[in-house]
Amino acid sequence: MSKQEDGGLQRIFVDLHLHIGRTERGEPVKISGSRDLTFRNIAHEAAVRKGIQLLGVIDCHSPGVQKDIVVLLESGEMTEISGGGIKYRDVTILLGAEIEVRDAGFGTAHHLAFMPDLAAMQSLTAWMSKHMKNVQLSSQRLYVLSRELQEEVKKRGGLFIPAHIFTPHKSLFGSCSDHLSDTLDPALVDAVELGLSSDSEMAGYIPDLDRYPFLTNSDAHSLAKIGREYNELLLREPSFAELKLALEGAEGRGITANYGLNPVLGKYHRTYCVNCGSLVEERLDAERCLQCGSLKQVRGVFDRILELAEQAGREQPYVPADRPRYVYQVPLEFIPGLGKVKLAKLLEAFGTEMKIIHDVPEEAIAAIAGVPAAAIIASARHGTLQLEAGGGGKYGKVSAEQ
C-alpha cells in the first residue's frame, strides 16, 4: 500500500525480517520455519495478499536460496533493479542474512545484514563459509568477533542492524550485554530492530539507542505472519538504495511510522516462571519466582528494560520529537472470531490485509465478517482493545471480553 507524496516520494509499507523455511528443492533453511516459506512464495504472498512493497528476506546467504534466486532471475519471473533488490510485480525483496555471534565474555546475539545485490550477498556467503559450520542454514553461529562481521558487511556496501534487541534469547540486550559498545562499533550500526515485545517508548529508556532509527519487523516463520509488524517509509521507490537513505534521514526519505504489536501481545513481554507458569504482573525485583520460589524464569523484555534503565540512571523514556510515531496494530490472526473463511472473504472483497487493518470502514467489514469482529478491528485502530499479556514464549491475546 502506498500513496504518492510531493516530490515523487511514496509512503511504502516495509517488513525486513522474513525467514525461508525450505528451498524450492525442499532443502531445509530455517528448521522452525514453514515449508511454504520459499523465496517465490514470500514474494507472491506480499504482492497478492499482504500489500507490503519492500521485504527483507534474511536467509539469502544460504547457497540453496541463492540457487532459487538465480533460477527466478534467469526465467524472467523476477529481475534485479538498479537501486538494489529483486523485483516481483510491485514488490521488491532485499537480500539479507541473520547471523549469530558470541564475543568472548558475552552472550549470544543475532544481527541482520542486508546486501545491495546478489553478487554482494554471494561474496558475504563465501567469507562466512570460512567461519561457519553450516552456511546453508539460517541464523547459524559465525566464529568471528561482532566488529569483524560489521566490517565485512560494510566492505560490501551493506546495512547492519541488530535483531530483536531485547528478546531474552540471542539478542543484543536480552542475552548478550548491557551496552551496545561492549561488542559492536556504534558507528557501523544503521538501525536497531525492537522486536515483538517492546515499542519506541520502552526503548527510550536505553541511552545507547538515542541515536539510532527504530525498525519493527515480523520475524515471520510462516506466510501468515508476514506483516504482523512493519514500518511505513517515505521513499521514491522500494529499493536498497532508498532504504539506506531513509535510515540516514537523507534527501527527504525517512521512517514515518512503526506499526507493531502492543508489547503486551509479545511472547516475552513479562517474566515467566517455567516451573509454575506464572507471569510477573509487577516489577521484577527478585531472582526467584514470587509464586513458587523457582529460579527457572524467562526474563521478560519489560523487566530487562527497567533493569537497564536503572543502571543508566534514566527514570523516564526519552522519545525525541523526530522519532516516528509508534502505532499499535493487531494482526488479523489475533482477532477473535475471524477465521480463515471470513478472512478469505474479506481479502476477496478488499484486496490486502493492510487495507482491512487500516482503511476499510467498520460497517463494510461487519457486512462480511460480522459486527463483533469488525468492532474489534475498529478498537484496534483506536488503541482501545483489552489485552492479556504474553510471556515465556507464549503470545498475549486479545481478550474475548471487550
Side-chain angles (χ1 to χ4, degrees), residues 18 20 24 36-48 53 55 57 60 65-82 84-95 118 223:
L18 312 175
I20 297 282
E24 294 290 348
D36 294 335
L37 273 173
T38 65
F39 192 87
R40 186 186 185 281
N41 285 352
I42 288 171
H44 185 77
E45 179 80 0
V48 173
Q53 288 180 267
L55 307 169
V57 175
C60 292
V65 174
Q66 291 171 9
K67 289 180 183 178
D68 288 347
I69 295 171
V70 169
V71 170
L72 291 163
L73 293 175
E74 290 180 344
S75 71
E77 185 173 355
M78 298 186 185
T79 57
E80 280 201 275
I81 61 175
S82 59
I86 307 292
K87 189 79 169 179
Y88 174 80
R89 298 191 182 183
D90 63 346
V91 168
T92 300
I93 299 177
L94 303 184
L95 307 182
L118 180 57
L223 292 173

Side-chain angles (χ1 to χ4, degrees), residues 156-358:
R156 294 165 175 82
L159 298 171
F160 183 91
I161 301 170
H164 43 70
I165 56 173
F166 296 117
T167 55
H169 307 295
K170 300 179 179 180
S171 75
L172 179 64
F173 291 115
S175 60
C176 176
S177 62
D178 291 344
H179 300 282
L180 184 144
S181 60
D182 287 342
T183 58
L184 297 175
D185 181 345
L188 300 183
V189 173
D190 294 288
V192 296
E193 181 186 66
L194 296 182
L196 301 181
S197 297
S198 64
D199 59 18
S200 296
E201 183 172 349
M202 291 170 66
Y205 278 104
I206 313 301
D208 284 5
L209 302 179
D210 291 349
R211 64 188 284 188
Y212 298 112
F214 293 166
L215 292 169
T216 45
N217 301 312
S218 68
D219 196 357
H221 286 53
S222 67
L223 292 173
K225 294 290 192 295
I226 296 173
R228 64 179 168 181
E229 292 204 347
Y230 52 94
N231 312 276
E232 182 187 78
L233 271 60
L234 195 60
L235 309 174
R236 189 171 299 281
E237 64 174 5
S239 70
F240 178 92
E242 289 289 308
L243 172 64
K244 185 174 186 295
L245 288 173
L247 296 183
E248 295 169 349
E251 299 180 28
R253 279 70 162 180
I255 303 170
T256 49
N258 300 116
Y259 288 88
L261 298 180
N262 186 311
V264 172
L265 291 174
K267 292 196 296 184
Y268 300 106
H269 183 61
R270 297 311 307 262
T271 295
Y272 173 85
C273 178
V274 177
N275 185 56
C276 72
S278 64
L279 282 179
V280 172
E281 296 181 356
E282 298 179 359
R283 178 163 178 185
L284 178 67
D285 289 315
E287 291 186 3
R288 292 184 179 273
C289 173
L290 300 178
Q291 300 297 320
C292 72
S294 174
L295 288 168
K296 297 179 179 179
Q297 298 188 98
V298 179
R299 182 171 49 184
V301 167
F302 180 76
D303 303 296
R304 172 59 171 160
I305 287 175
L306 290 180
E307 176 187 346
L308 292 172
E310 185 173 351
Q311 291 179 15
R314 181 170 281 185
E315 297 181 357
Q316 298 294 327
Y318 170 66
V319 183
D322 60 352
R323 179 75 70 196
R325 62 196 173 102
Y326 193 103
V327 181
Y328 293 151
Q329 64 93 23
V330 178
L332 296 178
E333 65 176 312
F334 279 83
I335 304 299
L338 187 61
K340 292 183 178 179
V341 173
K342 289 183 179 179
L343 178 55
K345 290 180 179 179
L346 287 173
L347 290 169
E348 182 179 358
F350 304 118
T352 67
E353 291 186 16
M354 295 297 102
K355 289 181 180 178
I356 296 166
I357 289 172
H358 296 291

Side-chain angles (χ1 to χ4, degrees), residues 99-104 106-113 124 127 141-154 160-162 171-172 176-177 179-186 188-189:
I99 304 156
E100 181 177 306
V101 183
R102 181 172 186 175
D103 290 22
F106 297 95
T108 55
H110 282 186
H111 302 301
L112 306 180
L124 185 67
W127 171 75
R141 176 73 62 83
L142 185 70
Y143 292 91
V144 302
L145 295 175
S146 299
R147 285 183 173 85
E148 183 178 351
L149 170 60
Q150 287 182 283
E151 291 168 358
E152 293 294 331
V153 169
K154 292 300 177 179
F160 183 91
I161 301 170
S171 75
L172 179 64
C176 176
S177 62
H179 300 282
L180 184 144
S181 60
D182 287 342
T183 58
L184 297 175
D185 181 345
L188 300 183
V189 173

Side-chain angles (χ1 to χ4, degrees), residues 371-394:
V371 171
I376 291 175
I377 292 172
S379 294
R381 291 175 181 174
H382 297 109
T384 58
L385 280 183
Q386 296 181 38
L387 306 173
E388 298 176 18
K394 296 181 180 179

Side-chain angles (χ1 to χ4, degrees), residues 358-374:
H358 296 291
D359 300 328
V360 178
E362 180 180 352
E363 297 77 11
I365 296 174
I368 295 174
V371 171

